[in-house]
Amino acid sequence: MPSEFALIDRHFRRPTGHTQLGVGDDGALIRATPGMELVVSTDMLVSGTHFLPDTDPEALGWKVLAVNVSDMAAMGAEPRWALLAVALPAATESWVERFAAGFFACASAHGIDVIGGDTTRGPRNFCVTILGEVPQGQALLRSGARPGDEVWISGAPGLAALGLAHLQGRCTLDGEVRDRCVEALHRPQPRVALGIALRGLATAAIDVSDGLLGDLGHILECSGAGAELRLDHMPAAALAAAPEAELGRQCLLAGGDDYELLFTAPAGKGTSVTALSASLGLALTRIGTVTEQHPGQCVLRDATGNAVSLARAGYDHFG
Ligand code: ADP
Ligand code: MG
């Protein structure tokens, strides 16, 4: 079995592109670009809670970093540096090699330098700290939504949750639909280009990690506003893919793991958002409106205007 240091050297030390001092010393040295603010965030993934214990190591490596990159996207930041703390039950080389391949594939895809971390023995657990840059004063916050703004969502929310339901045997998906949903779960694509393009356009943003309604709730609480959403205006992919209507609705509205961006923008900016959708080749769907009434809460209506209720709005680790 390799030593801790051999493992780090072999698998987690790679050339960097924009770093003064990377892996190998007691700390890393980085230099922020003049005029930019640093955005810092950390996210932990625990076996059995955030991923199934038998998840393919390469997919896991990708996802561990991708969920952190998604936080940068939600802030309108460009991801630049990451640190990786891992606990592993054993230093199985083949497993670590494939994990690192997935992790660095995501790092390369987003121009991120991996500049440090920590490696210990323990129940499988990954914690990434990520740093990004955003021009001063331009970060997208959760607190800027105002009554009259429109609510938008990127991509096809709900597919990842449907993929998880399939892997857990709660439903059966077939063929292309199955592949697309499992891919959405294992290889989330953080919406970095969208986040950057939303600077100065979106009034608030969040990435959907715990479910669309629950995460919208965070924007509403931080902004002191309410929202009305239309079920029949939602992206229909998850509804169409689910073998059963209630499961589809649950995955669309309360499923986690999509890492799409949910954002608000002034009503007059609708054409700009639509143009952005075309230039990015990414679906952006207007799903509702920010209201003054019932601050912190979201009302969901069907096509006839009747309120729709949902059993579970989002994931809460202690709920
Ligand atoms: P220390 O004991 O001083 O914290 P370590 O032995 O933990 O140092 O780490 C040695 C170097 O390797 C440090 O630069 C650290 O940031 C880096 N490192 C450790 N584990 C990882 C990892 N999983 N990924 C990337 N860098 C790592
Ligand atoms: Mg250490």
Side-chain angles (χ1 to χ4, degrees), residues 229-233 300-308:
L229 298 187
R230 280 284 295 270
L231 188 54
D232 55 317
H233 291 182
L300 181 65
R301 296 191 188 281
D302 64 17
T304 60
N306 290 322
V308 179

Side-chain angles (χ1 to χ4, degrees), residues 4 117-120:
E4 174 193 332
D118 203 18
T119 307
T120 69

Side-chain angles (χ1 to χ4, degrees), residues 4-5 7-9 11-13 22-28 82-86 99 103-104 114-120:
E4 174 193 332
F5 306 103
L7 206 69
I8 295 167
D9 247 20
H11 300 291
F12 295 111
R13 189 173 192 156
V23 169
D25 212 308
D26 292 312
L83 297 99
L84 168 68
V86 301
F99 175 86
F103 189 85
F104 280 94
V114 177
I115 58 169
D118 203 18
T119 307
T120 69

Side-chain angles (χ1 to χ4, degrees), residues 45-65 67 88-89 94-100 102-103 124-126 160 163-164 167-168 181-188 257:
L45 275 83
V46 176
S47 180
T49 303
H50 300 97
F51 57 91
L52 302 172
D54 60 354
T55 302
D56 170 56
E58 202 167 334
L60 193 56
W62 173 279
K63 187 161 177 172
V64 163
L65 184 54
V67 304
L88 297 170
S94 56
W95 197 97
V96 174
E97 188 177 348
R98 299 199 54 220
F99 175 86
F103 189 85
R124 196 164 284 155
N125 177 347
F126 306 93
L164 180 63
L167 293 180
Q168 291 180 328
C181 292
V182 172
E183 177 85 358
L185 177 70
H186 283 159
R187 286 220 154 224
D257 274 340

Side-chain angles (χ1 to χ4, degrees), residues 160-269:
L162 206 50
L164 180 63
H166 169 80
L167 293 180
Q168 291 180 328
R170 287 184 282 120
C171 72
T172 306
L173 306 174
D174 295 303
E176 269 176 33
V177 168
R178 177 199 55 217
D179 294 348
R180 191 174 169 207
C181 292
V182 172
E183 177 85 358
L185 177 70
H186 283 159
R187 286 220 154 224
Q189 301 294 327
R191 304 304 188 188
V192 174
L194 173 60
I196 289 171
L198 287 176
R199 293 173 188 160
L201 179 58
T203 49
I206 191 169
D207 64 322
V208 180
S209 55
D210 295 332
L212 194 158
L213 292 186
D215 284 325
L216 176 58
H218 296 312
I219 286 187
L220 299 177
E221 274 161 35
C222 292
S223 299
E228 285 217 13
L229 298 187
R230 280 284 295 270
L231 188 54
D232 55 317
H233 291 182
M234 298 273 169
L239 300 176
E244 183 210 316
E246 183 50 36
L247 177 67
R249 227 166 59 165
Q250 197 71 33
C251 288
L252 167 66
L253 299 168
D257 274 340
D258 288 311
Y259 302 99
E260 293 296 346
L261 290 191
L262 179 65
F263 60 94
T264 57
K269 299 283 188 183

